[in-house]
Amino acid sequence: MSAISMNMVTLLYLVASVCFIQALKGLSSPSTARVGNVFGMSGMAIAVLTTIALMFKLREQIGSGGMGFGLVLVGVVVGGSIGAVAARRVEMTKMPELVAAMHSLIGLAAVCIAIAAVSEPWAFNIAARGEALPFGNRLELFIGTFVGAVTFSGSVIAFGKLAGKYKFRLFQGAPVRYPGQHLINLLVAIAIVALGLVFCFSDGTAPAWTPFIIMAVLSFVLGVLIIIPIGGADMPVVVSMLNSYSGWAAAGIGFSLNNSMLIIAGSLVGSSGAILSYIMCKAMNRSFFNVILGGFGGEASDAGGGGTKEQRPVKSGSAEDAAFILQNAESVIIVPGYGLAVARAQHTVKELVDKLTAHGVTVRYAIHPVAGRMPGHMNVLLAEAEVPYDQVAEMEDINGEFGQTDVVLVLGANDVVNPAAKDPKSPIAGMPILEAYKAKSIIVNKRSMASGYAGLDNDLFYQPNTMMVFGDAKKVIESMVKAVE
């Protein structure tokens, strides 16, 4: 490849990398998320087109025919079409499953590329035809295959748990546990490392396929084993963690292929996903290292999942009663949760807030980092309803205001407002929550008294200043809108 052509590729990859960095910066705030998405899509378009142009050059160098390139184009068209249709049709409540599915495909792609690179390294310009695969490349391919396989199978399990519609036990929301689970995971991990080292140190021009294939299969198995003991309450952290894994898998393959774009993009995804996982762990009072090792989840779910719950009296009212309280308040904080997403009631909530604001009521939204089923779920939901960004506040910014708030309206949220987190004996002790219990009056809308993902009864529902309004969120809020004069 000529120096000019190589310089052009390097320059375009640099431009794409800058776009990806700007995308992450934009996506860090709801007010700049749309611009961040534009940067991300532009960067990916530049990277893809540059890589296709690079493929033309490589095809000329190695003298291959056009069949392989045609298959690549077919893959781009078919995959892009499926992605576009899925993105347009996906419901907000199904977004976490879509993200998990995308993570799985990234992991599988990393494994497939690694197998192809081991089989024909000359096609990737790693080694000349007939020469041995260098040790450094073998090590990178081993790591990329391992992380990619774990990402794929783990994401498939996460997808099943998030979907909640499959009868297969591994896809159930409850943790799957058995005796010696951690020991088995450790033994599988040791076997993977040992086989990977055998592959890396093998001699000769022919790759050591047996240890490589066994290592890949065991990596797929390990991905399943580290996700099945995780309960539904911890799924938001799992999604974030797998996001990080998919990035590192792409970066590992990028090193093997000597592709700077893959290295940069994978590193950005991997590092940002790791940082987000750490933030999520703090928000859920989890150990970051336990998340990485897959040895978390289930404690809270187990705690509330069995036995008969204590029967305590609750105060309930109608939507009209709630509307009367809201329109006579001076300040209101709305706490959205997964129930709001299920009911698709974000636009109706916006209508209610507009009416309350017209009556002189100050209304704000309080967002918990793990509200919903994935990071940022509620932010996207409210943005879809065109809620002004200055009305939306994160937990650390608004927690100090609950004590001076007249009414808190909780819509479908559960664990993120549970005062039990303040009890040292509670399974969720220490979990940061939205301190809605401090408000003068609390209105909670839920379909029933069912517990949240953590499987715990919510003490907020039984407070003397709490009124429960049962029913579908959209129907209840529509009745509130009609009742507000």
Side-chain angles (χ1 to χ4, degrees):
M1 185 179 298
S2 66
I4 295 177
S5 298
M6 192 62 201
N7 287 341
M8 181 59 69
V9 169
T10 303
L11 177 61
L12 289 173
Y13 276 165
L14 178 61
V15 172
S17 301
V18 172
C19 287
F20 290 150
I21 294 171
Q22 290 298 316
L24 286 176
K25 181 180 178 181
L27 292 171
S28 64
S29 171
S31 60
T32 57
R34 293 181 186 275
V35 176
N37 273 324
V38 172
F39 271 114
M41 290 185 291
S42 301
M44 185 54 68
I46 294 172
V48 170
L49 293 176
T50 302
T51 303
I52 290 176
L54 187 59
M55 286 179 58
F56 273 115
K57 287 289 184 180
L58 291 176
R59 187 182 63 172
E60 293 174 2
Q61 284 186 346
I62 64 178
S64 69
M67 184 61 183
F69 186 73
L71 289 175
V72 170
L73 289 181
V74 170
V76 170
V77 172
V78 173
S81 301
I82 294 174
V85 172
R88 288 184 62 86
R89 292 184 177 180
V90 67
E91 301 174 3
M92 275 304 303
T93 53
K94 303 299 182 183
M95 189 62 71
E97 291 102 291
L98 179 63
V99 173
M102 289 180 176
H103 293 163
S104 70
L105 294 178
I106 295 173
L108 184 61
V111 175
C112 292
I113 293 172
I115 293 174
V118 172
S119 177
E120 298 182 352
W122 59 87
F124 295 88
N125 210 24
I126 299 175
R129 191 184 295 268
E131 290 185 0
L133 194 65
F135 172 81
N137 292 104
R138 294 187 189 189
L139 180 61
E140 293 159 359
L141 290 169
F142 156 55
I143 296 175
T145 303
F146 164 62
V147 178
V150 169
T151 302
F152 170 74
S153 56
S155 297
V156 170
I157 298 299
F159 171 84
K161 284 178 174 284
L162 287 167
K165 60 183 180 182
Y166 302 106
K167 295 182 179 181
F168 192 43
R169 190 187 174 196
L170 296 183
F171 291 153
Q172 299 298 309
V176 177
R177 296 175 147 184
Y178 51 85
Q181 192 166 39
H182 292 293
L183 178 60
I184 292 175
N185 290 353
L186 178 61
L187 293 176
V188 172
I190 292 174
I192 290 172
V193 173
L195 290 165
L197 292 176
V198 170
F199 166 73
C200 293
F201 286 99
S202 59
D203 296 323
T205 58
W209 276 112
T210 300
F212 181 82
I213 295 299
I214 297 176
M215 177 271 297
V217 171
L218 288 179
S219 297
F220 284 120
V221 173
L222 184 63
V224 175
L225 295 179
I226 64 175
I227 300 300
I228 58 174
I230 302 174
D234 295 305
M235 275 300 116
V237 187
V238 174
V239 172
S240 176
M241 177 185 68
L242 291 171
N243 174 53
S244 179
Y245 286 1
S246 66
W248 297 126
I253 296 300
F255 278 107
S256 298
L257 304 182
N258 196 27
N259 188 301
S260 58
M261 188 70 263
L262 262 180
I263 296 171
I264 294 172
S267 299
L268 288 173
V269 173
S271 57
S272 60
I275 293 171
L276 182 59
S277 296
Y278 175 73
I279 295 173
M280 299 283 287
C281 287
K282 288 184 63 178
M284 299 184 71
N285 194 34
R286 301 295 189 192
S287 166
F288 181 66
F289 291 103
N290 282 345
V291 173
I292 295 174
L293 297 174
F296 78 117
E299 291 88 352
S301 299
D302 292 347
T308 303
K309 294 181 180 179
E310 178 186 358
Q311 297 297 319
R312 291 185 281 175
V314 297
K315 182 172 65 176
S316 62
S318 64
E320 290 72 20
D321 296 331
F324 178 80
I325 296 173
L326 289 169
Q327 72 180 19
N328 285 282
E330 292 185 2
S331 58
V332 172
I333 294 178
I334 297 177
V335 179
Y338 185 64
L340 179 70
V342 172
R344 304 179 189 177
Q346 61 269 30
H347 297 282
T348 312
V349 171
K350 174 67 164 50
E351 185 180 356
L352 173 64
V353 170
D354 289 342
K355 282 204 168 188
L356 292 175
T357 302
H359 278 75
V361 182
T362 302
V363 183
R364 299 189 71 190
Y365 298 83
I367 306 296
H368 192 280
V370 295
R373 282 193 169 184
M374 65 179 292
H377 198 172
M378 295 300 105
N379 298 85
V380 175
L381 198 72
L382 297 178
E384 189 179 37
E386 298 184 351
V387 172
Y389 299 124
D390 58 359
Q391 291 184 4
V392 182
E394 300 297 327
M395 177 178 66
E396 60 271 15
D397 298 324
I398 202 170
N399 254 353
E401 300 181 20
F402 281 106
Q404 293 78 45
T405 301
D406 293 328
V407 184
V408 170
L409 176 60
V410 180
L411 299 172
N414 203 321
D415 300 320
V416 297
V417 293
N418 193 343
K422 303 294 182 179
D423 182 1
K425 298 181 181 180
S426 171
I428 61 171
M431 173 181 170
I433 62 168
L434 290 166
E435 297 175 347
Y437 66 92
K438 293 182 177 180
K440 298 174 184 177
S441 297
I442 304 156
I443 301 171
V444 179
N445 167 239
K446 279 177 60 67
R447 290 177 178 270
S448 67
M449 292 293 292
S451 58
Y453 288 131
L456 297 174
D457 221 3
N458 194 331
D459 295 338
L460 181 70
F461 302 163
Y462 306 100
Q463 288 189 181
N465 59 336
T466 298
M467 182 178 74
M468 303 294 298
V469 181
F470 297 106
D472 176 80
K474 188 172 184 178
K475 293 180 180 179
V476 168
I477 298 169
E478 285 175 348
S479 298
M480 290 183 186
V481 170
K482 293 178 181 178
V484 174
E485 298 178 357

